[in-house]
Amino acid sequence: DAMVIQNPRYQVTQFGKPVTLSCSQTLNHNVMYWYQQKSSQAPKLLFHYYDKDFNNEADTPDNFQSRRPNTSFCFLDIRSPGLGDAAMYLCATSRVGTYNEQFFGPGTRLTVL
Amino acid sequence: GEDVEQSLFLSVREGDSSVINCTYTDSSSTYLYWYKQEPGAGLQLLTYIFSNMDMKQDQRLTVLLNKKDKHLSLRIADTQTGDSAIYFCAERIGTPLVFGKGTRLSVIA
C-alpha cells in the first residue's frame, strides 16, 4: 500500500545532542511537509518542499533544518534540541492539484532529556 | 490573520449525533478540511469541502459551511465508540494548511 513512513516512531535524545528524523513516501507526491505538534495543540507547519524548492515558515527556529535528497525521502534535523522541542513531529505529503489532500505519517515522538 | 478556532472537548452518547464546530478567519480559503487523529497516530483526512459549497454529505458525515460567518461544522450521525478521537478543522491558504487545536470527541457507551 502506498504510504508515508516515519522512522523512528519514538526518539529520545539529550539536550543539545543533534537528532535526525526521517520520512519516506511511496506516493510519489511532489510536496512534503514537516509539522510540529505539541500536546493539545494544532500541528504547526515548520517547512515544506515543493519538489526541490524549500519553503521555510517565518517563525521556524534556525535550530530546525531539513533535507530532501530525492522525491521519496525528507529529513528533519534538529541541531541542538532544547527541552521545548519535545513534541510529536508529523510528516505529510501531497500532490498539488485540486483539493490538495495531505497524507500524514504516524509521527515521531521526540523526548529531550 | 490566520486562525482556526475549535472547542476543545465534546462528549456524546453512543448512537447520538455529534456536531463539531470550527471558525476560521481567512475568507480567501479555497478548501476546508476535517481530519481525524486517533491516539498515537497521524492525521487522517475525513472529508473536505470547497469554499463555494455550503453542504457536503458522505455516509455518516455531514459538513456545513457558512461562508458569511466563516463557520464550518462536522456532524457525525449515529456516533460509535470507534469515532472517539481528536478532530481537526483546517483551512487551505495557498499550499500549506492551517489547523485548529482540535476537538477531542469522547463517546460514552
Side-chain angles (χ1 to χ4, degrees):
Chain A
D1 285 343
M3 57 199 317
V4 182
I5 302 159
Q6 290 189 245
N7 284 307
R9 293 292 310 278
Y10 300 91
Q11 176 74 57
V12 179
T13 190
Q14 292 179 329
F15 182 93
K17 185 174 180 182
V19 67
T20 295
L21 309 182
S22 74
C23 177
S24 63
Q25 54 131 339
T26 60
L27 298 160
N28 203 32
H29 284 170
N30 51 354
V31 191
M32 294 187 77
Y33 310 80
W34 277 105
Y35 290 87
Q36 179 192 64
Q37 186 183 22
K38 296 188 177 181
S39 182
S40 301
Q41 293 190 20
K44 178 181 177 299
L45 183 66
L46 296 173
F47 23 60
H48 72 279
Y49 275 94
Y50 188 145
D51 293 323
K52 293 183 180 179
D53 292 335
F54 178 70
N55 299 271
N56 197 33
E57 293 301 296
D59 56 355
T60 298
D62 292 340
N63 198 24
F64 291 86
Q65 304 286 321
S66 185
R67 296 169 284 135
R68 189 178 184 188
N70 53 52
T71 301
S72 301
F73 285 86
C74 194
F75 299 99
L76 169 62
D77 301 309
I78 309 176
R79 291 191 299 189
S80 181
L83 298 178
D85 297 328
M88 175 76 87
Y89 289 88
L90 297 168
C91 174
T93 73
S94 70
R95 174 173 293 283
V96 173
T98 53
Y99 66 93
N100 193 40
E101 177 180 356
Q102 291 190 16
F103 291 81
F104 282 81
T108 295
R109 182 165 294 284
L110 178 67
T111 300
V112 182
L113 300 177
Chain B
E2 304 169 1
D3 207 4
V4 178
E5 299 284 344
Q6 302 178 238
S7 54
L8 294 181
F9 301 99
L10 177 65
S11 183
V12 298
R13 292 199 176 277
E14 191 175 19
D16 288 351
S17 292
S18 308
V19 180
I20 303 171
N21 294 301
C22 168
T23 57
Y24 60 98
T25 56
D26 197 315
S27 57
S28 64
S29 298
T30 52
Y31 288 91
L32 295 130
Y33 307 81
W34 284 104
Y35 279 84
K36 177 183 180 182
Q37 186 177 34
E38 297 185 8
L43 277 69
Q44 174 196 359
L45 180 68
L46 281 180
T47 187
Y48 66 95
I49 188 167
F50 188 45
S51 58
N52 70 351
M53 299 168 65
D54 52 21
M55 187 183 96
K56 180 178 181 181
Q57 187 151 3
D58 184 2
Q59 299 182 340
R60 292 191 297 125
L61 305 178
T62 303
V63 179
L64 296 178
L65 175 60
N66 181 330
K67 206 173 176 188
K68 174 176 167 288
D69 295 338
K70 299 190 185 68
H71 183 264
L72 184 73
S73 69
L74 173 69
R75 179 177 180 270
I76 306 173
D78 186 25
T79 311
Q80 303 297 307
T81 54
D83 295 323
S84 294
I86 301 175
Y87 290 81
F88 290 92
C89 170
E91 60 176 339
R92 175 182 172 184
I93 304 167
T95 297
L97 302 182
V98 177
F99 287 88
K101 289 186 177 182
T103 300
R104 183 180 294 276
L105 174 65
S106 297
V107 182
I108 305 164

